[in-house]
Amino acid sequence: MKEDRFLNEKETNFLKSLIMKNGMGIESVAKRMNMSRATLSSRINGKTDFSRKEMETFAGIMKSKPEEIFFSQ
C-alpha cells in the first residue's frame, strides 16, 4: 500500500540538511517553533502538513523565505 505523504523524500532530506547546515537539531527548532519534537518530526517526514504559519516560522528560523524552502524543490 502506498503511503500518502505531504513532503516527498527529496524535500524531507532538504529540510533535514537545512537544519544541520544552520547548526541546529530538530529538537531545538521545534522548541523555537513552540511545538513538540514529535510534531515537527512528523511535519518534516511528510506524515502531516506544515501550516502556512509554521512554514513562515520555520523559514524565519532558517533565515530564509518560505518559498525558498517549501516551494523550490
Side-chain angles (χ1 to χ4, degrees):
M1 179 187 297
K2 182 179 177 283
E3 180 181 339
D4 289 331
R5 296 178 54 91
F6 290 97
L7 297 175
N8 65 38
E9 187 175 351
K10 181 180 175 186
E11 293 164 330
T12 292
N13 290 337
F14 175 72
L15 293 181
K16 289 177 180 178
S17 69
L18 192 58
I19 290 169
M20 288 178 22
K21 284 179 186 175
N22 280 279
M24 299 178 187
I26 290 176
E27 191 162 335
S28 63
V29 175
K31 191 174 202 175
R32 291 183 66 184
M33 292 182 72
N34 293 320
M35 68 172 55
S36 71
R37 183 194 187 289
T39 299
L40 181 58
S41 181
S42 181
R43 303 276 196 278
I44 289 172
N45 289 308
K47 294 179 181 172
T48 57
D49 204 7
F50 281 90
S51 70
R52 170 174 255 139
K53 178 72 174 151
E54 290 168 346
M55 287 181 195
E56 291 170 355
T57 302
F58 183 88
I61 293 167
M62 297 299 126
K63 299 178 179 77
S64 190
K65 297 177 183 175
E67 58 272 13
E68 295 172 340
I69 296 174
F70 294 97
F71 306 107
S72 66
Q73 300 301 307

